[in-house]
Amino acid sequence: MNAVLSSKTKRASKWRDEIPALDSFLAPLIVLAAVFLSWEYSSRWFGIPKYILPPPSDFLGRFATDSYLLASNALATGYVVLMGFVLAAAIAVPLGLAIASYASLRHGLLPVIVFFEIIPKTITAPLLIVWLGFGLSPRIALTTVMSVFPILVNSIAGFSGGNPRLFLLTKSMGASPWQTFRFVRLPAAMPYIFSGLKIGMVYAVTGCVTAEFVAANEGLASLIITAFGYADLDLGFAAIIATAGLGLAFTGVLLGMERLFMPWKE
């Protein structure tokens, strides 16, 4: 009997290993379904008016009836998030490498960066609009500013955390500085970098939405303001769910890139 159970357990474990994405997709879907079901029936049981908190059955249908409106605004928001996030990563990762490599930069530049990070970013949005005007520029700038810090901090930690013995070993074997970086330092830092990228993506979506709330005539946040202004709560909640879905989609892309660039992690 024990042998049969052991065999079944091994087959189940092998099947899960062959489909590693099953658990990562199934568990969030179950939790999300439970949340929406609880929301749906609690609205009915407690008699919450629809003009205060509409049930999911009311606003989820707007994804079909207003699909073009939601999709066009989601594309506008997604473009700003992507541009700001890529710019933040292009700044933060090389700067993190420089700060981790040179003690003078670590002691002189890092406190200044932390000082500017403490400043609330929501109050910088109007200032960016004054400097850059309306349009894409202030939205991309705020998205970059909000997402650069977590990527930078994790990059510094990753590039600073290598084993010194490995560097001595590669040097003794005649490896060039580029080879040491390529085969030792960068792979050791990549888990930290991707952790910072995933946190930075959340901040990027938040920064883009904040900028759209301040001044924008397109994007999901602008659609939310317009919908709530006309008391169309169903469309407003649909746009909120679309914003969360956009963030999840970008995070999923990062998870796929993490598996692609770090196959040894699996």
Side-chain angles (χ1 to χ4, degrees):
M1 183 66 179
N2 291 335
V4 174
L5 291 175
S6 177
S7 177
K8 290 182 178 180
T9 303
K10 289 180 180 179
R11 286 199 299 268
S13 177
K14 182 180 179 181
W15 183 69
R16 287 195 301 268
D17 292 339
E18 291 176 353
I19 313 178
L22 182 63
D23 291 338
S24 59
F25 282 105
L26 186 59
L29 286 177
I30 293 175
V31 174
L32 189 62
V35 170
F36 277 108
L37 285 174
S38 302
W39 184 352
E40 176 73 27
Y41 287 103
S42 63
S43 298
R44 299 179 181 180
W45 290 338
F46 295 105
I48 302 175
K50 293 184 178 181
Y51 60 84
I52 295 179
L53 184 66
S57 58
D58 286 356
F59 63 79
L60 289 179
R62 302 298 291 269
F63 283 97
T65 58
D66 295 280
S67 58
Y68 176 78
L69 183 62
L70 289 167
S72 60
N73 285 279
L75 286 175
T77 300
Y79 176 78
V80 174
V81 170
L82 183 61
M83 293 296 294
F85 178 78
V86 171
L87 185 58
I91 294 173
V93 176
L95 184 59
L97 174 61
I99 292 176
S101 301
Y102 300 99
S104 57
L105 287 178
R106 188 183 305 113
H107 297 308
L109 188 58
L110 189 58
V112 178
I113 296 174
V114 173
F115 170 78
F116 282 105
E117 177 62 22
I118 295 173
I119 300 175
K121 301 300 179 295
T122 53
I123 65 175
T124 62
L127 185 60
L128 290 173
I129 293 173
V130 172
W131 287 346
L132 303 175
F134 290 90
L136 290 175
S137 298
R139 292 153 61 190
I140 294 176
L142 184 60
T143 303
T144 302
V145 169
M146 287 194 66
S147 56
V148 72
F149 187 74
I151 305 175
L152 175 63
V153 171
N154 281 270
S155 298
I156 295 173
F159 287 122
S160 301
N163 190 341
R165 295 183 179 181
L166 291 178
F167 300 145
L168 293 175
L169 179 62
T170 55
K171 186 176 181 179
S172 66
M173 296 175 65
S176 64
W178 165 249
Q179 289 174 325
T180 302
F181 174 79
R182 168 68 179 82
F183 294 105
V184 177
R185 198 174 188 186
L186 181 59
M190 286 179 69
Y192 295 88
I193 294 174
F194 273 101
S195 296
L197 290 174
K198 286 180 282 189
I199 300 173
M201 178 56 70
V202 176
Y203 281 88
V205 176
T206 304
C208 179
V209 170
T210 302
E212 289 177 353
F213 271 124
V214 175
N217 55 5
E218 61 179 356
L220 290 172
S222 177
L223 181 61
I224 292 171
I225 294 175
T226 303
F228 286 161
Y230 285 99
D232 191 352
L233 266 68
D234 293 342
L235 181 59
F237 273 90
I240 292 173
I241 298 300
T243 305
L246 184 67
L248 287 175
F250 278 122
T251 303
V253 172
L254 285 176
L255 291 174
M257 292 178 61
E258 186 178 20
R259 290 181 177 179
L260 178 64
F261 289 105
M262 292 192 300
W264 63 85
K265 188 178 179 182
E266 299 296 326

